[in-house]
Amino acid sequence: MKKFPKLDEYSNDDLIIIVYSEKELWQKEAIIYAKNLLEKRGVNESQAKERLLELEDIAEELWKQEIEARKTESYSALELVLMVLFFPKYILWDWGLKRNGYIRKSKQRMFALGLPILFWTIVAIIANSNYDKYEQARVDGINRIAYLDSLEKAKIDWSGKYQFKDIEKPEKTKYILWTLDIFKTEKGHSGKLEINNYNSLQIVNLSCVLTENGIEFYPDTIYNVLDKVEITYYDHLFTLLEKDSTLLTYWFRLKPFELSEYINGNIYFEKINNP
């Protein structure tokens, strides 16, 4: 027979459990060896089974005591502090405390994890609320500045008639006469540009946009001017600026002929009358 020397050190109760309660956990030879040990110690099968019932009652009573002890078992103060400080780490485990009978621990865990979550949720809500208030204040500030700026611009009156003589060469008498007529209304400014090209008159209606110290001009629709140059409502034609009591003209999409050859005195519109 195969020997299991360690079993010689086991108590009778341990051998009874091996033979009659946990035999599926042991080798067949070990069970036979344990049974022989019991017989040598004067414990027969009837006595062993009777003792097994007693052991099961003891185990059941111990389990009830364990369940009762688990209900009131709690975390230490240090464990609770660590749980609050490092709550993301503790969220990952111990979800079965209540199922395993640890009622108090389960409640402590929920409180310790819920406290920082509630705190950071409140912080996030306050931060978001403050950001919304800040953003709204910033938008209100921008709108207020834009409104005041629009009021200031609305005070500017560009109405009047302006002319520019497009002379190809100073010694020549033929020229294109540009006449700009600007009207101020309650909603802003509008304009009309007359291009007199050697007694051929063309009229372009203009949309006007006020800038900080000037006014920009755009056609109100599509036109073909100056030898079939097409201009449309999004083309920036030219800009008038007032600088140091001087009226400056900056040409963009619409340009006089040979503009680069003109001297400064010939490239500006000049106001010829007041409204």
Side-chain angles (χ1 to χ4, degrees), residues 161 176-181 192-196 201-204 269:
K161 187 169 288 189
I176 300 176
L177 181 63
W178 306 64
T179 303
L180 174 62
D181 207 354
K192 180 176 66 175
L193 179 65
E194 296 181 357
I195 305 175
N196 194 334
L201 180 64
Q202 185 167 18
I203 297 176
V204 177
F269 275 101

Side-chain angles (χ1 to χ4, degrees), residues 127 252 255 269:
F252 290 92
K255 294 184 172 76
F269 275 101

Side-chain angles (χ1 to χ4, degrees), residues 14-245:
D14 292 332
L15 294 176
I16 290 172
I17 291 172
I18 291 173
V19 174
Y20 297 101
S21 180
E22 297 180 353
K23 56 185 178 181
E24 68 277 0
L25 303 178
W26 294 83
Q27 298 178 26
K28 186 176 181 179
E29 292 84 353
I31 295 172
I32 295 172
Y33 188 83
K35 191 172 184 179
N36 289 335
L37 281 176
L38 287 172
E39 290 176 355
K40 287 179 182 180
R41 296 177 184 180
V43 180
N44 58 36
E45 183 175 349
S46 176
Q47 292 172 326
K49 288 183 178 180
E50 184 178 348
R51 179 57 181 167
L52 180 62
L53 292 175
E54 293 176 356
L55 293 174
E56 288 176 350
D57 290 340
I58 293 172
E60 184 177 354
E61 184 62 29
L62 290 175
W63 177 245
K64 288 180 180 179
Q65 294 175 9
E66 171 68 17
I67 291 298
E68 288 299 318
R70 287 185 181 186
K71 289 180 180 179
T72 57
E73 185 176 333
S74 64
Y75 291 105
S76 67
L78 178 60
E79 288 175 321
L80 290 174
V81 169
L82 292 175
M83 199 177 295
V84 170
L85 294 177
F86 304 103
F87 71 96
K89 174 183 176 182
Y90 288 88
I91 288 177
L92 301 177
W93 62 72
D94 286 346
W95 283 99
L97 287 173
K98 188 174 183 179
R99 183 174 62 252
N100 293 324
Y102 296 97
I103 306 300
R104 187 174 183 182
K105 269 191 170 183
S106 175
K107 293 179 180 179
Q108 288 177 324
R109 180 180 180 277
M110 293 299 294
F111 177 79
L113 296 181
L115 187 64
I117 291 174
L118 177 62
F119 171 78
W120 288 113
T121 300
I122 293 173
V123 169
I125 291 173
I126 293 174
N128 185 65
S129 175
N130 289 340
Y131 174 78
D132 289 343
K133 291 178 181 177
Y134 166 78
E135 187 65 16
Q136 186 60 49
R138 188 180 71 85
V139 171
D140 290 343
I142 293 173
N143 291 336
R144 184 168 55 255
I145 292 172
Y147 174 71
L148 294 175
D149 185 54
S150 65
L151 290 179
E152 191 64 28
K153 288 178 181 177
K155 296 177 183 178
I156 300 173
D157 187 354
W158 282 89
S159 59
K161 187 169 288 189
Y162 305 78
Q163 279 191 346
F164 168 78
K165 288 185 178 181
D166 178 12
I167 304 174
E168 295 184 12
K169 297 294 180 182
E171 64 274 11
K172 293 186 178 180
T173 57
K174 289 186 177 181
Y175 57 86
I176 300 176
L177 181 63
W178 306 64
T179 303
L180 174 62
D181 207 354
I182 305 175
F183 313 94
K184 188 176 187 302
T185 65
E186 292 182 1
K187 296 182 179 180
H189 290 75
S190 62
K192 180 176 66 175
L193 179 65
E194 296 181 357
I195 305 175
N196 194 334
N197 188 4
Y198 307 118
N199 297 321
S200 175
L201 180 64
Q202 185 167 18
I203 297 176
V204 177
N205 292 315
L206 303 172
S207 297
C208 306
V209 178
L210 288 176
T211 61
E212 185 173 353
N213 59 346
I215 185 168
E216 297 177 352
F217 297 90
Y218 299 82
D220 67 342
T221 185
I222 299 174
Y223 297 90
N224 286 301
V225 298
L226 300 175
D227 297 330
K228 298 184 179 179
V229 175
E230 184 178 85
I231 56 176
T232 62
Y233 58 88
Y234 56 81
D235 284 323
H236 182 187
L237 303 182
F238 55 89
T239 297
L240 297 186
L241 295 178
E242 283 187 341
K243 185 176 181 182
D244 299 329
S245 301

